[in-house]
Amino acid sequence: MATRDALRLAEQRGLDLVEITPNATPPVCKIMDYGKFKYEESIRAKQARKAQKVQKVKEIKFHPGTDTNDFNYKLNQIRGFLTDGCKVKLTLQYRGRENAHRELGEDVINRVLEELKDECFVEQAPKTLGRILGALIGPPRKNGPKPQKPAAPAPQQAQDQQPGGIRISVS
């Protein structure tokens, strides 16, 4: 349909002519109420934001000299966070002369990971950044990735085409 005819048809119905795919040959346009379309699109975007699951990251700090009771208490805290579905960032900060014996700090983090090996998934292995040794663990993953559904073919609509014109669908 010629562009002028499409504009005239849209004006007769009191609607707008909206270009859907400008790169197609010929370009695809639709006669619709553009204000209503933008409103519905904003509502869909708002619902999509509500449906998103926000992943919380909790942080537990250790030191190379963390004693047994403190270690067990922090281990129980980590277990609680993991059961709530949170990720846990394990940090161990070296202070003063502790820098000379970094293997003691690595032992503490490795001990935590060993204690929790059946209850968590290691997302980031222990890594040293300056004076801080850090690791990131998360709740155990489900068995394997989610199966993807095959895409359904889009329904075809009968549309008039003329050379040098545009395709139109009326809604």
Side-chain angles (χ1 to χ4, degrees):
M1 179 181 282
T3 308
R4 287 187 206 119
D5 296 337
L7 280 171
R8 194 173 310 115
L9 185 64
E11 286 177 9
Q12 287 174 357
R13 296 183 181 198
L15 298 172
D16 303 308
L17 181 66
V18 180
E19 190 174 33
I20 304 296
T21 51
N23 298 332
T25 306
V28 177
C29 293
K30 198 172 192 181
I31 295 177
M32 66 170 79
D33 184 358
Y34 187 68
K36 182 179 175 183
F37 171 74
K38 290 296 282 182
Y39 173 74
E40 289 172 352
E41 193 174 77
S42 69
I43 295 296
R44 271 187 255 126
K46 191 175 184 180
Q47 288 174 345
R49 282 193 304 271
K50 277 186 182 179
Q52 284 181 345
K53 183 179 179 185
V54 177
Q55 185 74 47
K56 293 183 183 176
V57 178
K58 302 289 188 171
E59 183 176 15
I60 299 290
K61 293 185 178 184
F62 290 93
H63 291 282
T66 302
D67 210 6
T68 308
N69 283 340
D70 292 336
F71 181 83
N72 291 333
Y73 179 77
K74 290 180 181 193
L75 214 56
N76 287 333
Q77 277 186 317
I78 293 170
R79 284 187 178 111
F81 292 147
L82 291 172
T83 56
D84 290 343
C86 299
K87 292 182 180 183
V88 181
K89 182 178 181 181
L90 307 173
T91 57
L92 186 136
Q93 187 169 5
Y94 298 104
R95 297 175 297 184
R97 290 183 165 222
E98 293 172 349
N99 276 311
H101 301 284
R102 290 187 174 242
E103 68 277 355
L104 296 175
E106 291 170 1
D107 290 343
V108 171
I109 294 293
N110 288 333
R111 194 170 132 208
V112 170
L113 295 176
E114 184 64 32
E115 292 274 338
L116 297 172
K117 67 181 177 187
D118 297 332
E119 304 170 45
C120 73
F121 175 76
V122 178
E123 295 193 16
Q124 182 181 2
K127 188 166 90 175
T128 304
L129 295 171
R131 299 182 315 144
I132 297 174
L133 175 67
L136 184 67
I137 59 176
R141 292 196 172 166
K142 308 284 187 254
N143 296 337
K146 293 181 180 178
Q148 295 181 353
K149 296 178 182 175
Q156 297 279 331
Q157 292 182 357
Q159 297 174 342
D160 295 332
Q161 291 186 20
Q162 291 180 356
I166 55 175
R167 286 188 281 171
I168 295 187
S169 66
V170 180
S171 59

